[in-house]
Amino acid sequence: MPGPAPEERPHPDGRRNEQGIRVDPEAEAEPRYRTAVVSALVEHEPGVLSRVSGLFSRRRFNIESLTVGPTTVEGHARITLVVEETDPGIDQVKKQLAKLKPVIQVGELDDDAVRAELVLLKVRGDEPDKVHAITQMYEGRTLDAGPRTITVEITGDQQKIDDAVDAFRQFGIIEIARTGQTALARGDTPTTPGEEPGHSTEPAERDGEEQREKTDAKGD
C-alpha cells in the first residue's frame, strides 16, 4: 500500500501504564507529592497501633507523624496520620487502613481543620533571659530550668512549631521531642465520615446520678 515508510510515520510521545493508558513521560517522571492529614477511628484494643505501623512499613508509605489517643466514645481511639504522598498514594493509605479489622472509619481532613502539635525543647541555659523571651513570644511554658539547661514546651500548628524550633537554635538545642500533628474537623463536620461523637458525662452530672442512686437505695 502506498504511504510513508515506518520510520517516517509519526510516533506518539510517552508510554502506556499498567492499565494500557498512554501517559506523559514528564508527568510520570516527577509525581506531585502533597501532605494530607488522615484520621482513623479504631477499636481501642491491644495491638492496633502495631498493626497500623506494620501496614505502613510493608507498603513503604511516607508517614511524617502518627498520634493516637482515646475519644469520647468508650472503647474507641483516634489515630491521626500526616502523610506525604501522591494523590494515588494517599488514596491507597486510606483504602489499606480501612481494610484493617479494628478500623471503624477513615477520612481525610480538609485544609481548614483545627491542627496542633506539641514540642519539648531542652536548650543550653547560658542565656536564660533570652530563652525566656523566646518562650513567651511563642506562648510557651518553661518546664525546667537549671544552671546548664532549660526545657520549654510549645504548642501550636506545624508552622508555629517549626518557627519556634528555628528561634531556639541560637541557644543550642540539646534534645527535642515532637508529638506530631493531631487534628479535628472544624465546626459540626465529623472528623471521620459517619462519625457520631459521644458526650462524656460532666462531673456534676455524675455526682447527681450517684446521689440519686444512693437515695433510691435508702428508699428500698
Side-chain angles (χ1 to χ4, degrees):
M1 295 179 63
E7 63 272 10
E8 297 175 348
R9 297 172 188 170
H11 295 279
D13 295 330
R15 59 180 180 79
R16 297 185 183 276
N17 60 17
E18 294 178 354
Q19 290 74 38
I21 301 172
R22 195 171 294 280
V23 295
D24 182 350
E26 293 184 3
E28 188 74 5
E30 297 181 2
R32 293 184 178 179
Y33 284 76
R34 68 180 179 89
T35 300
V37 179
V38 177
S39 180
L41 199 64
V42 303
E43 298 287 349
H44 200 182
E45 60 185 39
V48 173
L49 190 57
S50 62
R51 294 181 65 177
V52 171
S53 59
L55 167 67
F56 297 141
S57 176
R58 291 193 303 274
R59 298 283 178 171
R60 296 186 179 181
F61 292 129
N62 294 323
I63 304 299
E64 290 191 354
S65 67
L66 184 155
T67 63
V68 61
T71 72
T72 57
V73 178
E74 186 176 357
H76 289 181
R78 185 183 310 284
I79 294 177
T80 305
L81 306 162
V82 179
V83 187
E84 186 179 6
E85 279 285 350
T86 61
D87 283 330
I90 292 169
D91 287 339
Q92 280 299 309
V93 167
K94 293 185 285 188
K95 289 177 181 178
Q96 295 299 325
L97 194 56
K99 289 180 181 180
L100 294 179
K101 186 177 179 181
V103 176
I104 303 167
Q105 297 283 358
V106 178
E108 181 181 347
L109 291 166
D110 294 333
D111 291 339
D112 68 343
V114 180
R115 311 180 190 191
E117 68 172 299
L118 178 147
V119 63
L120 298 180
L121 290 153
K122 183 187 292 185
V123 301
R124 301 191 185 282
D126 301 332
E127 301 177 281
D129 292 341
K130 292 183 178 180
V131 171
H132 181 66
I134 296 294
T135 303
Q136 285 191 317
M137 184 172 69
Y138 287 98
E139 302 173 311
R141 294 193 303 153
T142 299
L143 303 181
D144 180 69
R148 292 187 294 180
T149 65
I150 300 172
T151 303
V152 302
E153 170 195 296
I154 308 290
T155 58
D157 59 29
Q158 184 176 7
Q159 186 61 57
K160 177 182 176 180
I161 298 297
D162 289 342
D163 291 345
V165 171
D166 287 340
F168 280 106
R169 291 190 192 281
Q170 62 183 299
F171 308 113
I173 297 176
I174 300 171
E175 291 181 316
I176 184 172
R178 292 180 68 158
T179 62
Q181 290 188 55
T182 188
L184 292 175
R186 192 174 294 277
D188 295 332
T189 304
T191 299
T192 54
E195 181 180 357
E196 296 182 3
H199 299 280
S200 60
T201 305
E202 295 297 328
E205 294 177 358
R206 290 200 299 268
D207 292 343
E209 290 174 0
E210 292 174 358
Q211 187 62 40
R212 285 193 293 272
E213 290 174 0
K214 291 179 181 179
T215 302
D216 292 341
K218 288 181 181 179
D220 294 341

